[in-house]
Amino acid sequence: MTIDILYEAVEYGKVLLGYIFIMFLMPSVIFYKHLQGKSPVYRFGFCVTAVPVCLNALVLFLGLFHILSMRLTALILAGVFLVCALRLAWEFRHKLAAWKKPRRFHPLKALPRKDRVYIGLWAVTLLFGAVYFTYGVIRISCYGCGDLYVHHSWIYGLMEGKVFSAGIYPEAMHCVIYCMRSLLGISVFSCLRFIQCFHVVTYLVSVGCLLREVFRWRYTPVLTLLLFLILNVRGAEMVNSMSRLQWTLPMEFGLPCVLMCVMFLIRYIKGTLQENGKKDARVYWKNENLLIFMLAVAATLTTHFYATIMAFFLCVPVALCACRKVFHWKRLLPLTAAAMCSLLIAAAPMAWALAEGMSFQGSINWALESMDSETVKENRELLESEGEKEAAIAQKATEMEETGQVRTLAVSVPADRPEKAAPMAETAGVKGETTDRKGIEGIYRYGYVGLYGEGRGTLLLGLTCLALALSMAGKVRKSKWAEGVGYSYVPMTLMSVVFIVTYAMPYIGLPQFIAEGRFSVIGHPLTLAMALIPLDIAAPLAEERWGETLLRRLAVAMAIGIYVFACLTGNYHGFLYNELSRYPEAVTMTRTIMKNFKPHTYAITSTTDELYQVVEKGTHVELQTFLENIEQEEYYLWMPHVFFYVEKKPLCYAQLYFGEGPAWLGEERYPDESREGFKILRPTMRVSQEPYVIASEISPDKAEREIVEPDVWLRYTQLENREVLESRAYEQYMRLMETYPDQMEIYFEDENFICFHLEQDMKNPCNLAVPQER
């Protein structure tokens, strides 16, 4: 499959610059007075949380007043930014005038050597993460997840002046992209493809900021992120959670705000304790950390409700470990007021929309239904029963081979799996069973082992107990290193336990609060961080004795060691997957048409996927609609240029397409480790490995078959229906070429994809309803 690297690079650069401008430069200029003199961490937290909240409020209230338009939005944003920029330039005028002689400035030489190594290690880690999560997105040229089509349609609703076009739903991510489109002119298609490539770096920095607040040794956070980025994960749900970090989805967009909630809650508690000697209520109420906490909570509410649930679960351990301080009325009242303000900011537009008669979007009901633990429990039982069955059969086959009874024993798993797992039956002479486990045993079995496997799960459980034991021992003995562990090590350990317990809840009969292991992208790095608590305790003590230089070199050696160890022991991560729905050639062809032809002078006839790429500049005709209309006596498309797309090899729609790439970036491991898990949990999806795709062939015989599927969408997504539609379309387009040989041509063709071009005289358009027999 071919990729237009130059175009991808240009669009990637546009989105990068737009993201930096919207998320960081614009708030830094507008709120310069507030941010002046603040620490880099505070500035980062303010920008990450304030931008979604402010843009969400602006767009939604304009829409609810029925005055939302792209021009008005761009005028407001540009006007506010320019006024603030001019005021800032005027303030700096005197400083620039006083700076008479320019001096050479070398930022690296100005930093101490220890800071150069530290910053360099962070830069390498973040760059590696950005490349890893971007590589797969670049290589498929289209949306990596089917949900992006839905979010594109909601953003397009905003472009038409309609808020909550599909029902009431958190719109912060959509509003940010809408503002990028209105102010900077970047296409929504490119924004949805690439924003998460940069926002995932924001997420990694957020994890690092939280861990830097918790840990004592400053190298521990970056080593944690290296472990997160380098170690492979196991199981379909963990791979799914990691793959979602590539896609611009609301929940993943809100993850940095979740971490900001926890971090600034810790900073608020610590800050008010340090200023406790001042008998002034402003210490509690006018606290800068409280402001970011409020903005972070509001940002999670306006981005995705799952993000809010995660923030609650992570804040609870912090509050419990400092309950005497948190629940003191001097701190509790400001925190309660901040939470209520957050709720008011997020809920006001939704309440307004409800009052106008709008209803909640359907996915809200899906989220509530997903809390039913029975489905998850049945999936786990199915996975276990299949795993035990295959292991038992393999063992039996080995025994039979050793005794000479049989040479091979083939095992086939039926495609039509039952929806519910049946009790384990006797298979190949070996019996197995599934049993419910409650309490600690259930948490260990379905939490630690379910997420990390037997070896890693046991190791992490042991490290959890060790971390708690060290923290308690330090508190009892009043050790110097144990000062403040109630706000650091103990909450960190409890956060990892909360993640494990939350994941295991449905398997031990409790409600599932967050579906499909989506907590993993937050809980997984926190669990890895908890495992490094012994290192974080030992490193500062060693630094006092042997000096900072030795420990700095040790940190670099450990970073290199993590990478080398993972590669040599087979624990290096693999490439992630995308849901392949289009050939890159179709994406490139659509871009070529949009570039070479004037807007709104062409129509593209294809499956639904091209609609979202071409919607702003051209017309899209659904393939099924076209095939139905050409059966009439007359049918016209009133466009000078009509393009017809056909997949010569119809794709298995939304197949889980695992990437490939250079060995230094990843290994091809996930399909082998998780293929069966995906087949069991998602039986309608197929797994493929780049460069091979699961596809069929078109033929005249398939064009004659009837499609009995009543669901219009399933006619596209089910391969047996898709190949009929594509075969039928190809036959009709070839008839059109015979009928209009001077006006219709093959515009592009390769082994997978073909595009026909019909050029019409609008005074005498072509009748596309070609008779079946001429």
Side-chain angles (χ1 to χ4, degrees), residues 30-38 42 46 288 291-292:
I30 294 175
F31 299 101
Y32 167 75
K33 283 291 185 182
H34 175 72
L35 296 175
Q36 189 176 19
K38 299 294 192 300
Y42 182 88
F46 182 87
E288 61 183 24
L291 172 64
I292 307 297

Side-chain angles (χ1 to χ4, degrees), residues 64 73 151 182 288 290 336 346 389 410 468 513 519 581 614 628 715:
L64 292 170
T73 304
H151 295 296
S182 302
E288 61 183 24
L290 186 63
T336 304
K389 183 189 298 184
L468 285 174
F513 289 102
F519 204 175
S581 57
V614 79
E628 291 172 0
R715 296 179 185 178

Side-chain angles (χ1 to χ4, degrees), residues 429 461 539 595:
L461 179 59
K595 178 181 178 181

Side-chain angles (χ1 to χ4, degrees), residues 46-310:
F46 182 87
C47 293
V48 168
T49 56
V51 169
V53 172
C54 293
L55 295 185
N56 180 78
L58 171 66
V59 174
L60 291 188
F61 279 110
L62 287 176
L64 292 170
F65 277 112
H66 305 290
I67 57 174
L68 179 64
S69 71
M70 295 177 65
R71 289 184 179 180
L72 178 59
T73 304
L75 180 63
I76 293 173
L77 293 175
V80 172
F81 177 77
L82 289 176
V83 168
C84 294
L86 290 173
R87 184 187 65 183
L88 187 60
W90 181 260
E91 290 184 6
F92 273 92
R93 177 176 59 89
H94 302 289
K95 295 182 180 180
L96 291 174
W99 194 30
K100 297 179 181 179
K101 185 178 180 181
R103 294 175 297 175
R104 293 182 179 180
F105 177 70
H106 300 282
L108 292 179
K109 292 183 178 180
L111 289 172
R113 184 180 297 275
K114 60 179 182 180
D115 290 336
R116 293 182 216 169
V117 174
Y118 177 67
I119 294 174
L121 195 56
W122 266 107
V124 170
T125 301
L126 296 177
L127 180 62
F128 181 83
V131 173
Y132 176 64
F133 286 107
T134 301
Y135 193 80
V137 175
I138 291 286
R139 291 186 64 81
I140 65 165
S141 298
C142 60
Y143 285 158
C145 176
D147 290 351
L148 293 180
Y149 294 118
V150 177
H151 295 296
H152 191 147
S153 68
W154 294 348
I155 297 169
Y156 190 71
L158 295 177
M159 295 169 64
E160 293 183 322
K162 302 173 185 176
V163 296
F164 303 127
S165 57
I168 299 173
Y169 186 90
E171 291 265 37
M173 186 196 81
H174 308 135
C175 293
V176 171
I177 296 176
Y178 167 78
C179 291
M180 289 181 64
R181 175 66 182 86
S182 302
L183 182 61
L184 305 175
I186 306 172
S187 72
V188 175
F189 183 76
S190 295
C191 286
L192 282 174
R193 282 192 61 207
F194 294 128
I195 276 184
Q196 193 59 27
C197 299
F198 321 121
H199 201 66
V200 73
V201 177
T202 302
Y203 160 72
L204 295 174
V205 174
S206 301
V207 175
C209 290
L210 173 60
L211 298 182
R212 189 69 186 92
E213 190 68 30
V214 170
F215 287 133
R216 289 170 167 77
W217 194 36
R218 64 176 183 169
Y219 288 97
T220 310
V222 70
L223 293 176
T224 301
L225 284 179
L226 280 172
L227 284 172
F228 174 73
L229 291 172
I230 289 175
L231 288 181
N232 65 326
V233 294
R234 300 177 180 179
E237 290 180 346
M238 288 282 279
V239 175
N240 177 52
S241 295
M242 293 292 287
S243 295
R244 287 176 63 91
L245 284 177
Q246 303 173 107
W247 310 325
T248 309
L249 297 170
M251 193 198 83
E252 282 65 28
F253 193 82
L255 293 180
C257 301
V258 175
L259 297 161
M260 293 297 104
C261 284
V262 186
M263 186 182 79
F264 281 94
L265 175 61
I266 296 174
R267 296 187 75 168
Y268 174 73
I269 297 171
K270 288 182 178 180
T272 54
L273 285 175
Q274 293 171 357
E275 299 292 334
N276 196 28
K278 301 178 181 179
K279 304 299 182 181
D280 192 341
R282 288 179 297 180
V283 171
Y284 304 98
W285 287 92
K286 293 187 177 181
N287 189 296
E288 61 183 24
N289 298 313
L290 186 63
L291 172 64
I292 307 297
F293 174 76
M294 181 191 74
L295 289 172
V297 175
T300 62
L301 286 165
T302 57
T303 303
H304 200 279
F305 294 141
Y306 273 171
T308 308
I309 297 174
M310 292 182 200

